[in-house]
Amino acid sequence: MDCQCCNKKPARIRICDVEENNIGEQINVCPDCFNLIKRYMFDITKPLMTTPDVIREVQGLLTAGETSLATLPEPGGITPVGKEPVPVCPDCGMSLSEFRARGRFGCPRDYEVFAEHLDPLFERIHDVQPARHQGHLPEKTAGEEVVQRRQTVADLRKRLDAAVAEENYELAARLRDQIAELEAQPKAEERS
Amino acid sequence: MNEAFENFPHILGEWLKGTGPDSDIVVSTRVRFARNVRGFPFTGRASDAQRSDVLKLCEDALKQVHLDRSVVTLELDKLPELKRDVLVERHLISRELASGEGPRGVTFGRGEMLSIMINEEDHLRLQWIKSGFDVDRAFHALCKVDRALEKTLPYATSDRYGYLTACPTNVGTGMRVSVMVHLPALTLKENIDQVFKAAQRMNHAVRGLYGEGTRAFGDMYQISNQTTLGRSEEQIVEAIKAIVPKILEFERQRRGQLYTEDRSFVEDKVLRSLALLRSARRLNVQEMMSHLSMLRLGVDLGIISDVPVRTLNELFILGQPSHLQESEGRVLPASERDTRRAELVRSRLAAGSN
């Protein structure tokens, strides 16, 4: 049997869509087309499609030739190196291609780092245009001091460790007192 | 704190009481918000030390908002698997949180209406469950908790995308409304697919009893909004309030039809289920749930009068595998669970027991 995608090479792989307990249409393809189909299906920027729809898209790419095939992400959703700049989040180390493969962000900052790639994705997922938040937001400064205090304490701890390592006990004692003071603050607030 | 947990299998959540608007079809209404704490990676990318920091920050913030005197807080990494599974069957935590790793926890009120998961996919998942179809009350109750928390806990947000979440499907409001409905007539009449497709066209999903990817045992389904960005919380509430009544009307119409046109068929089904549940010596979960479903239908159609809906709702939960094992205090093999389940159902449905 010939591949139902390229209609040239012999079919070796059967794909079927499963929905709940029903098996949908079964399609036989060759290994080469299977690879392209896989790459198309796992591209997170594309809408979720049935196999027959994916095959139509891949057939379109096959007739269009080599250059359009290069736009497909590699299997597993990794964009070909050098084809596109790959932004990486400085906070959590997540790259755009890793985000695409996992479908999950690593940290809040990813939303800024990948900003220019997100609108089309959000517009599709949330079926809305423009992809802008419309609901409630807390005040910007809410809870800010909690974060600042936590970061300050973390910094002081690091300096304390360094001071102890250097056997600078005078500095270590001062740092220890500062940490104790900062950590006591929430309790003081509770009492008031 | 642990005392409350010891009582667990005996005190069931308020939301199971079988009251509230449209409780002939709607079991419960649940609203949840996904929230994350600024300055930390999302749970999936956080180290154990960071997860532990988040857990501590959230627990401290929860203490400050004085939710309720009877709040129970459990650290899940210190809890045995069986107890975690009980919480899942209770809808207090998700399967993901139960089977997750590292420091994580849950806080819930004694009535089990409020539950707050810490270090699930997002740092915080706040949810409020009400009995019946009661979106407004569930939404406002949860808003109160959220607004109190946001004063002490710095949430990760942006002006552009709202509440930032680990999964792009939750960004924006981070809000999901899920309405648990019992649709036996639509299932019997094979109209369920129509409901699925209509809901989907309006950006709402219909899922099984325990959420994503689970099957609809006992004709129980969850209807929920699929989109969270670009619409306000109020718009999400309004949308679900527009869609669910249409499904309820469809189900009621089919129930009426069954009763007027196929009376002996539906009576036969309901009364056979009652006889079976009152006699069976072994019941697996699926069997129990499908027959309980017929009983619930029978109560609504007036075919059965001596079984309260609350009993049926409770059996749906108490007959689940982990609840049975928890009340026995040990892990039971499947065959023994089936025997215990049949005993439980017989005793709760015995004539005159209610």
Side-chain angles (χ1 to χ4, degrees):
Chain A
M1 183 192 259
D2 279 347
C3 168
Q4 286 173 268
C5 184
C6 66
N7 294 316
K8 284 178 195 152
K9 284 166 268 186
R12 298 233 181 279
I13 295 161
R14 174 171 294 167
I15 308 174
C16 58
D17 290 343
V18 180
E19 209 171 273
E20 288 286 310
N21 293 321
N22 303 317
I23 291 175
E25 199 176 336
Q26 299 192 20
I27 295 154
N28 303 303
V29 296
C30 69
D32 288 343
C33 286
F34 180 65
N35 264 332
L36 294 176
I37 291 164
K38 237 174 24 182
R39 283 162 65 180
Y40 204 93
M41 271 189 169
F42 296 146
D43 183 354
I44 193 168
T45 61
K46 299 262 186 338
L48 201 61
M49 298 164 94
T50 63
T51 309
D53 287 341
V54 172
I55 289 197
R56 267 188 288 281
E57 295 287 334
V58 171
Q59 282 170 338
L61 289 177
L62 282 172
T63 39
E66 274 297 305
T67 43
S68 56
L69 287 177
T71 62
L72 283 180
E74 290 298 323
I78 295 149
T79 311
V81 181
K83 299 268 157 38
E84 191 185 324
V86 185
V88 175
C89 173
D91 280 3
C92 74
M94 178 78 77
S95 69
L96 180 62
S97 46
E98 191 187 352
F99 162 65
R100 283 180 168 160
R102 285 171 187 253
R104 296 287 185 282
F105 291 104
C107 78
R109 187 146 181 209
D110 293 359
Y111 281 88
E112 279 170 49
V113 179
F114 309 146
E116 58 175 311
H117 302 269
L118 295 179
D119 278 1
L121 175 70
F122 290 168
E123 282 167 15
R124 176 171 66 73
I125 294 177
H126 297 280
D127 190 25
V128 73
Q129 215 171 1
R132 290 291 172 272
H133 179 55
Q134 296 291 332
H136 172 82
L137 271 180
E139 275 177 46
K140 276 213 175 71
T141 51
E144 193 58 70
E145 74 280 15
V146 178
V147 164
Q148 270 170 10
R149 190 163 56 222
R150 193 178 55 78
Q151 275 162 355
T152 316
V153 169
D155 285 347
L156 288 173
R157 280 237 170 79
K158 266 186 211 150
R159 285 172 57 196
L160 174 63
D161 288 345
V164 171
E166 285 167 19
E167 297 186 13
N168 185 346
Y169 297 114
E170 200 181 321
L171 176 64
R174 267 209 314 277
L175 290 168
R176 188 199 57 212
D177 292 346
Q178 280 179 23
I179 292 170
E181 196 182 319
L182 279 167
E183 286 189 326
Q185 270 179 24
K187 280 170 202 130
E189 281 162 24
E190 267 168 37
R191 251 181 265 123
S192 64
Chain B
M1 276 212 285
N2 281 323
E3 254 169 55
F5 194 72
E6 292 305 315
N7 296 328
F8 226 93
H10 311 292
I11 314 163
L12 276 179
E14 283 285 311
W15 59 275
L16 280 166
K17 63 188 177 191
T19 58
D22 301 304
S23 55
D24 54 333
I25 298 175
V26 181
V27 179
S28 64
T29 306
R30 186 166 57 108
V31 178
R32 80 108 161 100
F33 295 154
R35 301 286 185 254
N36 286 281
V37 184
R38 210 184 308 155
F40 288 93
F42 297 130
T43 311
R45 215 168 175 82
S47 65
D48 270 6
Q50 287 168 320
R51 288 180 197 202
S52 172
D53 278 356
V54 169
L55 184 64
K56 175 124 201 337
L57 267 176
C58 293
E59 282 176 351
D60 286 351
L62 285 169
K63 267 178 217 148
Q64 284 191 35
V65 302
H66 299 296
L67 292 167
D68 178 349
R69 258 170 228 284
S70 57
V71 174
V72 178
T73 299
L74 299 168
E75 298 203 351
L76 292 171
D77 46 334
K78 292 168 192 146
L79 211 62
E81 192 183 351
L82 184 58
K83 293 212 192 255
R84 299 201 301 263
D85 290 342
V86 167
L87 297 172
V88 174
E89 290 176 358
R90 274 299 163 83
H91 296 270
L92 285 171
I93 66 172
S94 62
R95 284 190 190 286
E96 290 68 31
L97 190 75
S99 60
E101 285 169 6
R104 61 202 194 284
V106 63
T107 292
F108 49 88
R110 197 175 269 287
E112 293 182 16
M113 288 188 283
L114 170 68
S115 128
I116 298 168
M117 289 191 271
I118 306 171
N119 281 337
E120 216 253 19
E121 182 182 275
D122 295 300
H123 295 149
L124 280 166
R125 289 280 177 99
L126 322 170
Q127 70 163 22
W128 198 284
I129 311 187
K130 288 285 291 179
S131 189
F133 185 42
D134 207 348
V135 195
D136 287 329
R137 286 218 191 132
F139 172 63
H140 288 122
L142 193 61
C143 276
K144 249 174 117 176
V145 178
D146 184 52
R147 301 298 178 265
L149 267 179
E150 76 183 21
K151 292 201 175 68
T152 49
L153 208 55
Y155 286 151
T157 58
S158 87
D159 290 341
R160 201 174 158 111
Y161 297 130
Y163 291 94
L164 306 178
T165 55
C167 183
T169 57
N170 292 317
V171 70
T173 54
M175 170 170 161
R176 183 101 49 225
V177 183
S178 300
V179 183
M180 199 197 292
V181 289
H182 179 229
L183 305 176
L186 289 173
T187 311
L188 279 173
K189 288 278 190 181
E190 295 178 351
N191 291 121
I192 279 294
D193 273 354
Q194 260 170 277
V195 174
F196 278 37
K197 286 190 181 122
Q200 212 154 36
R201 270 198 302 277
M202 300 173 84
N203 283 323
H204 283 66
V206 183
R207 302 198 176 93
L209 184 56
Y210 285 99
E212 222 162 316
T214 62
R215 285 202 45 204
F217 289 129
D219 309 321
M220 291 287 184
Y221 301 88
Q222 289 197 58
I223 303 161
S224 55
N225 63 303
Q226 273 187 304
T227 60
T228 53
L229 184 68
R231 292 160 186 85
S232 69
E233 288 84 354
E234 287 74 17
Q235 283 172 312
I236 292 170
V237 166
E238 289 315 310
I240 203 119
K241 277 164 76 180
I243 287 167
V244 172
K246 291 210 175 75
I247 297 171
L248 302 186
E249 193 185 316
F250 197 13
E251 167 69 19
R252 283 195 190 107
Q253 188 232 331
R254 285 291 186 264
R255 284 186 188 186
Q257 212 176 11
L258 275 173
Y259 198 59
T260 50
E261 292 168 20
D262 296 308
R263 182 106 157 222
S264 67
F265 166 78
V266 69
E267 280 179 347
D268 182 64
K269 273 204 157 290
V270 169
L271 294 171
R272 271 171 190 266
S273 288
L274 182 61
L276 187 142
L277 291 177
R278 278 181 172 161
S279 311
R281 260 48 187 174
R282 282 187 176 199
L283 275 175
N284 66 35
V285 181
Q286 237 172 302
E287 205 181 3
M288 175 191 76
M289 289 174 78
S290 63
H291 291 297
L292 283 176
S293 165
M294 285 302 109
L295 259 55
R296 212 173 185 279
L297 176 65
V299 169
D300 180 50
L301 294 176
I303 300 167
I304 301 173
S305 55
D306 60 346
V307 182
V309 172
R310 176 163 196 149
T311 303
L312 299 176
N313 285 353
E314 287 181 357
L315 281 174
F316 263 107
I317 304 291
L318 293 176
Q320 296 293 330
S322 301
H323 271 79
L324 283 174
Q325 300 181 83
E326 175 65 22
S327 69
E328 282 294 310
R330 65 192 170 97
V331 176
L332 303 171
S335 62
E336 214 173 312
R337 290 206 295 267
D338 291 352
T339 316
R340 299 267 179 251
R341 183 175 297 116
E343 276 169 18
L344 169 76
V345 172
R346 282 205 312 278
S347 74
R348 298 296 290 262
L349 291 181
S353 73
N354 295 295

